Each structure stands twice: as structure tokens, then as C-alpha cells.
């Protein structure tokens, strides 16, 4: 359950400026319904070049609605030069804060405003810049760097909250950590070098002898290493283990667990006859 401020609730339950302006001067569309959040922003300028009216349509959660509502209130009466200085943090501050998991809603508002101003000025629609880091949500390295820099983000979770990057399959978490370290001027610890097959077999044998075999021998059982194929460790049970109905559980909860702990988390143990 998210902790919302009274102002977030107010703008969610009674959003301001919902709709679409006819013949707008600026239009911004960001997000994707497929991704769960989308925002359509329109504004109209007066004779002095100030934003006389702004309206929005959005698809998203309570924070997305409240952020869009707050954005339209913030930009009304401002020149474009003043409006384009509004940051996502200012949108969140206007609402008295947002749950950290929902900060990406304020980022979406900032991006919609930037796009709407660009459409008024006739500047080309900003193409995706940088290299896509998060394939699940199409977030680039430059977008992550910007979020980290502007909001002093320190963890993958922070980045996910602000950009959604890393919130899917998680394969990009390493790359996100590198970007955070780059912005912070830190050095990413060097990843351990992968074991050679000979090193892996030797370590597996040592782990079986030290961590597994003593436990099995207490019940009259034993185990032998048969082969190692990539991350598949083939073993054969001996003694009481060979006829024990609980052997599959022992393979998973003892043998595989110990080998993953002391050798590699990627190992999978298979019992074979030999």
C-alpha cells in the first residue's frame, strides 16, 4: 500500500485540467499504454507568450494522474522559458512528495512538457538517444544517467523507481550499476573471473568431500561425481542413498545447495546411474 500525501490524493480524486485543448500550440505524448503509463499533454499560449491553458489525458496509476494534474497547474501562467525549467522533482515537491516507487510518474510529466514545448517550437521530435540498456522498457543509458545525476540516485532500485529500467527481467542490473558508479566517479568492483572446467571440477570434488559426504555417511550413504558438463553436475548415489526415496530431496536441498553456495550459483545437479 503506497503512502500518499493529502495533495496527491486531492489531485488523484479531483484532477485539474483533464481533457484536451482544441488547436493547441504544444502537444506532448510520452509513455506507452502497453507499458502501463502514458501521458498526453496540450497547452495554449496567450498573446504574451505565456501558457494560458494546459490539459492532460493519462493512462496510469494514482501518482500518474496526480503528477499530470500538478504539472498543468505548475505551468499555467509561465513562459515557455520558465516552464521548461520545471523538473520532475518540482512536480513531486508540489504534491508534497511521491512514493519513491512512483517517481517515474513525475519524470513522465517532465518529458511530456519537454516534448510539448519542442512541438511548439517546431524542433524535430527528439529521437531516442543513447544505447538501450533496459530492453524490457526501452530505457537508454543517457536516460538513466540523467535520472541518476538529477536525483542523486544510488541503487538499481532507485533507478527503477525513477525510470522503470531494471524492473523487468533484471538482466540490465549490472549495466545500471556501472552507470551509477560512472556518475558517482566510483570504480565498479571487477567481476570474478569464471572458473575453468578443471578448476570447477576440483572445487566440486572438494565441496563434496568437505560439505556433503560427511552428512550422507551419517546415514550410511555416499555420493560420487560422474561428470561435469557446463553447469550440469552429474552424480551417482551410493550405499543407503541409492535406494532412499528421499534421494531427490537430498539432491536438491543438500547437494545442489552446497555446490551452489561454495562453487557457483548456476550449477544444476543431476542424478545418473553409474
Amino acid at each position: 500500500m503506497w503512502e500518499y500525501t493529502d495533495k496527491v490524493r486531492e489531485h488523484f480524486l479531483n484532477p485539474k485540467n483533464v481533457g484536451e485543448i482544441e488547436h493547441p500550440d504544444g502537444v506532448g505524448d510520452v509513455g506507452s499504454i502497453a507499458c502501463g503509463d502514458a501521458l498526453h499533454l496540450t497547452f495554449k499560449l496567450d498573446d504574451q507568450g505565456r501558457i494560458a491553458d494546459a490539459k492532460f489525458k493519462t493512462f496510469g496509476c494514482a501518482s500518474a494522474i496526480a503528477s499530470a494534474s500538478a504539472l498543468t497547474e505548475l505551468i499555467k501562467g509561465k513562459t515557455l522559458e520558465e516552464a521548461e525549467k520545471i523538473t520532475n522533482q518540482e512536480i513531486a515537491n508540489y504534491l508534497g512528495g511521491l512514493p519513491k516507487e512512483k517517481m517515474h510518474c513525475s519524470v513522465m510529466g517532465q518529458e511530456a512538457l519537454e516534448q510539448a514545448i519542442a512541438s511548439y517550437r517546431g524542433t524535430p521530435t527528439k529521437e531516442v538517444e543513447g544505447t538501450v540498456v533496459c530492453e524490457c522498457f526501452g530505457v537508454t543509458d543517457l536516460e538513466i544517467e540523467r535520472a541518476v545525476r538529477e536525483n542523486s540516485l544510488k541503487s538499481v532500485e532507485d533507478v527503477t523507481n525513477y525510470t522503470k529500467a531494471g524492473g523487468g527481467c533484471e538482466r540490465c542490473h549490472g549495466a545500471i550499476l556501472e552507470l551509477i558508479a560512472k556518475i558517482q566517479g566510483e570504480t565498479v568492483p571487477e567481476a570474478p573471473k569464471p572458473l575453468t572446467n578443471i578448476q570447477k571440477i576440483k572445487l566440486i570434488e572438494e565441496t563434496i568431500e568437505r560439505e556433503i559426504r560427511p552428512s550422507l555417511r551419517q546415514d550410511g550413504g555416499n555420493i560420487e561425481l560422474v561428470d561435469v558438463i557446463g553447469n550440469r553436475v552429474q552424480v551417482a548415489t551410493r550405499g543407503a542413498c541409492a535406494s532412499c526415496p528421499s534421494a531427490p530431496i537430498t539432491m536438491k536441498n543438500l547437494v545442489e545447495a552446497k555446490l551452489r553456495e561454495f562453487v557457483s550459483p548456476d550449477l544444476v545437479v543431476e542424478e545418473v546411474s553409474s
Side-chain angles (χ1 to χ4, degrees), residues 136-150:
C136 297
F137 293 104
V139 186
T140 70
D141 53 351
L142 297 183
E143 291 173 303
I144 294 171
E145 288 181 14
R146 177 183 177 184
V148 171
R149 190 175 288 111
E150 293 184 353

Side-chain angles (χ1 to χ4, degrees), residues 17 21 42-45 50-55 75-77:
N17 311 308
I21 294 174
T42 55
F43 68 71
K44 191 78 175 177
L45 299 177
R50 293 184 177 275
I51 297 175
D53 196 8
K55 292 187 181 298
I75 64 176
K76 277 186 170 180

Side-chain angles (χ1 to χ4, degrees), residues 42-207:
T42 55
F43 68 71
K44 191 78 175 177
L45 299 177
D46 63 17
D47 295 339
Q48 284 74 47
R50 293 184 177 275
I51 297 175
D53 196 8
K55 292 187 181 298
F56 77 94
K57 291 181 177 178
T58 189
F59 174 85
C61 61
S63 296
I65 295 170
S67 294
S69 174
L71 171 66
T72 54
E73 289 290 276
L74 279 167
I75 64 176
K76 277 186 170 180
K78 285 185 168 58
T79 65
L80 296 185
E81 290 72 22
E82 293 168 340
E84 64 186 349
K85 294 178 182 175
I86 293 174
T87 67
N88 73 287
Q89 195 62 56
E90 289 181 66
I91 297 171
N93 291 344
Y94 179 88
L95 292 168
L98 284 171
K100 64 178 184 178
E101 296 85 354
K102 295 295 182 182
M103 284 300 292
H104 63 271
C105 297
S106 63
V107 174
M108 189 167 66
Q110 182 184 5
E111 292 175 346
L113 176 59
E114 291 173 349
Q115 192 175 114
I117 292 174
S119 78
Y120 168 74
R121 290 172 173 164
T123 53
T125 302
K126 188 188 294 184
E127 296 183 2
V128 175
E129 296 179 341
T131 303
V132 173
V133 173
C134 175
E135 297 285 350
C136 297
F137 293 104
V139 186
T140 70
D141 53 351
L142 297 183
E143 291 173 303
I144 294 171
E145 288 181 14
R146 177 183 177 184
V148 171
R149 190 175 288 111
E150 293 184 353
N151 299 284
S152 301
L153 307 184
K154 300 184 184 305
S155 67
V156 173
E157 183 182 4
D158 288 342
V159 171
T160 302
N161 292 337
Y162 276 74
T163 69
K164 285 194 170 184
C169 70
E170 302 183 359
R171 285 200 299 269
C172 60
H173 283 193
I176 293 174
L177 282 173
E178 289 181 5
L179 292 171
I180 294 171
K182 173 185 169 184
I183 299 302
Q184 294 177 339
E186 298 175 354
T187 302
V188 178
E190 187 175 349
K193 293 182 179 178
L195 296 170
T196 65
N197 211 41
I198 292 177
Q199 290 172 326
K200 185 186 296 180
I201 292 172
K202 184 178 179 182
L203 197 52
I204 289 171
E205 289 178 330
E206 291 175 353
T207 302

